[in-house]
Short mmCIF file of all heavy atoms in Angstrom, two decimals:
data_model
loop_
_atom_site.label_atom_id
_atom_site.label_comp_id
_atom_site.label_asym_id
_atom_site.label_seq_id
_atom_site.Cartn_x
_atom_site.Cartn_y
_atom_site.Cartn_z
N LEU A 268 -12.56 77.04 53.31
CA LEU A 268 -13.77 76.22 53.12
C LEU A 268 -14.13 76.18 51.54
O LEU A 268 -14.38 75.06 51.12
CB LEU A 268 -14.88 76.81 53.86
CG LEU A 268 -16.28 76.07 53.72
CD1 LEU A 268 -16.18 74.67 54.20
CD2 LEU A 268 -17.33 76.86 54.55
N SER A 269 -14.09 77.26 50.95
CA SER A 269 -14.48 77.31 49.52
C SER A 269 -13.52 76.46 48.65
O SER A 269 -13.92 75.63 47.82
CB SER A 269 -14.39 78.72 48.97
OG SER A 269 -14.69 78.82 47.63
N SER A 270 -12.25 76.57 48.99
CA SER A 270 -11.19 75.80 48.20
C SER A 270 -11.38 74.25 48.44
O SER A 270 -11.33 73.45 47.57
CB SER A 270 -9.78 76.27 48.61
OG SER A 270 -9.60 77.59 48.29
N SER A 271 -11.65 73.94 49.77
CA SER A 271 -11.80 72.54 50.14
C SER A 271 -13.03 71.90 49.49
O SER A 271 -12.91 70.77 48.96
CB SER A 271 -11.91 72.46 51.65
OG SER A 271 -10.75 72.93 52.28
N LEU A 272 -14.08 72.68 49.39
CA LEU A 272 -15.27 72.09 48.76
C LEU A 272 -15.08 71.92 47.24
O LEU A 272 -15.59 70.94 46.72
CB LEU A 272 -16.48 73.14 48.99
CG LEU A 272 -17.11 73.17 50.35
CD1 LEU A 272 -18.10 74.28 50.45
CD2 LEU A 272 -17.62 71.86 50.79
N MET A 273 -14.37 72.84 46.63
CA MET A 273 -14.08 72.62 45.18
C MET A 273 -13.17 71.41 44.94
O MET A 273 -13.38 70.59 44.00
CB MET A 273 -13.45 73.85 44.62
CG MET A 273 -13.29 73.82 43.10
SD MET A 273 -14.83 73.50 42.20
CE MET A 273 -15.65 75.16 42.40
N VAL A 274 -12.18 71.24 45.80
CA VAL A 274 -11.29 70.09 45.70
C VAL A 274 -12.11 68.71 45.90
O VAL A 274 -11.95 67.80 45.17
CB VAL A 274 -10.13 70.16 46.75
CG1 VAL A 274 -9.40 68.81 46.82
CG2 VAL A 274 -9.18 71.25 46.37
N LEU A 275 -12.99 68.82 46.88
CA LEU A 275 -13.85 67.62 47.15
C LEU A 275 -14.78 67.37 45.93
O LEU A 275 -15.00 66.23 45.60
CB LEU A 275 -14.67 67.88 48.40
CG LEU A 275 -15.57 66.75 48.86
CD1 LEU A 275 -14.73 65.44 49.14
CD2 LEU A 275 -16.31 67.11 50.11
N ALA A 276 -15.27 68.42 45.27
CA ALA A 276 -16.16 68.22 44.17
C ALA A 276 -15.42 67.54 43.03
O ALA A 276 -15.88 66.65 42.39
CB ALA A 276 -16.70 69.59 43.74
N ILE A 277 -14.18 67.97 42.75
CA ILE A 277 -13.38 67.40 41.70
C ILE A 277 -13.04 65.96 42.02
O ILE A 277 -13.12 65.04 41.21
CB ILE A 277 -12.08 68.19 41.50
CG1 ILE A 277 -12.41 69.63 40.98
CG2 ILE A 277 -11.12 67.53 40.52
CD1 ILE A 277 -11.26 70.56 40.98
N PHE A 278 -12.71 65.70 43.36
CA PHE A 278 -12.38 64.34 43.76
C PHE A 278 -13.58 63.37 43.55
O PHE A 278 -13.48 62.28 43.05
CB PHE A 278 -11.99 64.29 45.17
CG PHE A 278 -11.79 62.97 45.80
CD1 PHE A 278 -10.67 62.23 45.59
CD2 PHE A 278 -12.81 62.41 46.65
CE1 PHE A 278 -10.49 60.98 46.06
CE2 PHE A 278 -12.64 61.18 47.16
CZ PHE A 278 -11.47 60.39 46.86
N LEU A 279 -14.81 63.83 43.89
CA LEU A 279 -16.02 63.01 43.75
C LEU A 279 -16.27 62.75 42.24
O LEU A 279 -16.70 61.64 41.91
CB LEU A 279 -17.22 63.75 44.39
CG LEU A 279 -17.24 63.69 45.89
CD1 LEU A 279 -18.29 64.66 46.47
CD2 LEU A 279 -17.46 62.31 46.46
N PHE A 280 -16.12 63.77 41.43
CA PHE A 280 -16.37 63.54 39.97
C PHE A 280 -15.42 62.52 39.43
O PHE A 280 -15.77 61.54 38.65
CB PHE A 280 -16.24 64.95 39.29
CG PHE A 280 -16.51 64.77 37.75
CD1 PHE A 280 -17.80 64.59 37.29
CD2 PHE A 280 -15.39 64.80 36.86
CE1 PHE A 280 -18.06 64.44 35.92
CE2 PHE A 280 -15.65 64.64 35.48
CZ PHE A 280 -16.90 64.49 35.07
N MET A 281 -14.14 62.59 39.82
CA MET A 281 -13.17 61.63 39.30
C MET A 281 -13.43 60.26 39.96
O MET A 281 -13.26 59.26 39.19
CB MET A 281 -11.73 62.09 39.72
CG MET A 281 -11.30 63.39 39.07
SD MET A 281 -11.42 63.42 37.30
CE MET A 281 -10.21 62.11 36.87
N SER A 282 -13.88 60.24 41.14
CA SER A 282 -14.29 58.92 41.71
C SER A 282 -15.43 58.26 40.94
O SER A 282 -15.39 57.01 40.74
CB SER A 282 -14.70 59.10 43.20
OG SER A 282 -13.63 59.60 43.96
N GLY A 283 -16.36 59.07 40.52
CA GLY A 283 -17.49 58.56 39.74
C GLY A 283 -16.95 57.87 38.45
O GLY A 283 -17.48 56.82 37.99
N ILE A 284 -16.01 58.49 37.79
CA ILE A 284 -15.46 57.98 36.52
C ILE A 284 -14.73 56.68 36.83
O ILE A 284 -14.95 55.69 36.06
CB ILE A 284 -14.51 58.99 35.95
CG1 ILE A 284 -15.18 60.25 35.45
CG2 ILE A 284 -13.73 58.38 34.74
CD1 ILE A 284 -14.33 61.33 34.95
N VAL A 285 -13.92 56.58 37.89
CA VAL A 285 -13.26 55.35 38.20
C VAL A 285 -14.23 54.24 38.53
O VAL A 285 -14.08 53.07 38.08
CB VAL A 285 -12.30 55.60 39.40
CG1 VAL A 285 -11.64 54.28 39.87
CG2 VAL A 285 -11.16 56.57 38.99
N ILE A 286 -15.23 54.55 39.42
CA ILE A 286 -16.17 53.56 39.83
C ILE A 286 -17.01 53.15 38.66
O ILE A 286 -17.41 51.93 38.54
CB ILE A 286 -17.02 54.10 41.00
CG1 ILE A 286 -16.24 54.31 42.19
CG2 ILE A 286 -18.22 53.13 41.35
CD1 ILE A 286 -16.94 55.04 43.34
N ASN A 287 -17.28 54.00 37.71
CA ASN A 287 -17.99 53.61 36.51
C ASN A 287 -17.30 52.51 35.73
O ASN A 287 -17.85 51.58 35.19
CB ASN A 287 -18.28 54.81 35.64
CG ASN A 287 -19.13 54.49 34.47
OD1 ASN A 287 -20.30 54.13 34.56
ND2 ASN A 287 -18.59 54.64 33.26
#
Side-chain angles (χ1 to χ4, degrees):
L268 177 59
S269 177
S270 301
S271 299
L272 288 173
M273 185 58 72
V274 170
L275 183 57
I277 295 170
F278 173 77
L279 286 169
F280 181 73
M281 297 304 297
S282 297
I284 294 175
V285 172
I286 295 172
N287 184 66

